[in-house]
Amino acid sequence: MSATRSRWPALLLVGVALVVIGVRRNLLAPVRLATAGMQPTYAAGDVLLVWKAGQPVLGDVVLVRMPGEPAPTIKRLVGTAGVSVVLDAGGLHVDDRPLRTGEQTTVSVFRSGCVPVGLPANTEVLGSQRYATFGDGAPIALTPPTGHVVVLGDNRGQSSDSRQWGALPDNALEGVVIGRVWRNSDCD
């Protein structure tokens, strides 16, 4: 009887570990952002929490697997099947609706030597999301077919996204970012 009692803590620990692994693999996952393609919203080195069971909507920041890339990355969902997406010198337009509010802000980002620099940013609104973007980068004009999406980084001049890869299959989306767990503190 004492041998059975002594197994309970080990069995409980194994059970908790399996639940944690299952949640981590199938529901929630921390993801470290490797590039500056989502500045000013998120910085390289930030750790974000991704809800893998979520159904993304236009404007959401999503975890996406780009073709030929070894690891998924973070981008903003700007187009779904049948929705026209145009990015030009006038900013981003979704279904012929301009997303820029006309509001310009100054956003502090850290450059080499951890010196904060104020950079001008445009404000866009898509769905329920209001966010800042840097630059316009390369133009794009896409209307994804059924089963495909368009994603862009908020740092348009520094992001590799649907402008290079075109519309991506829906199954390239792996989850919705629900928040920042850890801010890159190299310069804090």
Side-chain angles (χ1 to χ4, degrees):
M1 186 161 179
S2 64
T4 305
R5 282 190 185 169
S6 66
R7 289 186 190 152
W8 278 108
L11 290 174
L12 182 60
L13 184 59
V14 168
V16 168
L18 289 174
V19 167
V20 168
I21 290 169
V23 166
R24 161 90 169 70
R25 179 168 282 177
N26 299 309
L27 295 178
L28 288 172
V31 174
R32 181 177 296 277
L33 188 56
T35 69
M38 280 303 292
Q39 277 189 317
T41 306
Y42 299 114
D46 284 355
V47 178
L48 310 175
L49 189 60
V50 175
W51 178 248
K52 290 188 168 188
Q55 184 63 29
V57 296
L58 287 178
D60 281 349
V61 177
V62 295
L63 180 66
V64 60
R65 187 166 296 276
M66 297 293 198
E69 294 294 320
T73 188
I74 303 294
K75 302 294 174 193
R76 188 170 303 276
L77 179 62
V78 297
T80 55
V83 173
S84 70
V85 176
V86 175
L87 177 65
D88 57 23
L92 183 61
H93 296 71
V94 173
D95 270 349
D96 297 321
R97 186 176 63 84
L99 301 187
R100 277 197 186 152
T101 64
E103 176 187 339
Q104 286 236 307
T105 59
T106 300
V107 178
S108 289
V109 296
F110 290 100
R111 293 292 191 218
S112 62
C114 293
V115 176
V117 176
L119 297 176
N122 296 304
T123 302
E124 293 180 352
V125 176
L126 180 56
S128 64
Q129 304 296 325
R130 181 182 186 87
Y131 53 94
T133 64
F134 288 149
D136 292 321
I140 185 175
L142 277 175
T143 301
T146 300
H148 288 74
V149 297
V150 174
V151 296
L152 294 175
D154 289 349
N155 189 353
R156 306 273 162 75
Q158 298 293 317
S159 178
S160 295
D161 46 41
S162 285
R163 290 171 295 169
Q164 287 78 31
W165 292 298
L168 299 170
D170 286 343
N171 64 4
L173 299 180
E174 295 187 3
V176 178
V177 173
I178 58 174
R180 182 179 3 235
V181 176
W182 184 262
R183 180 181 291 277
N184 179 6
S185 61
D186 290 347
C187 297
D188 290 342

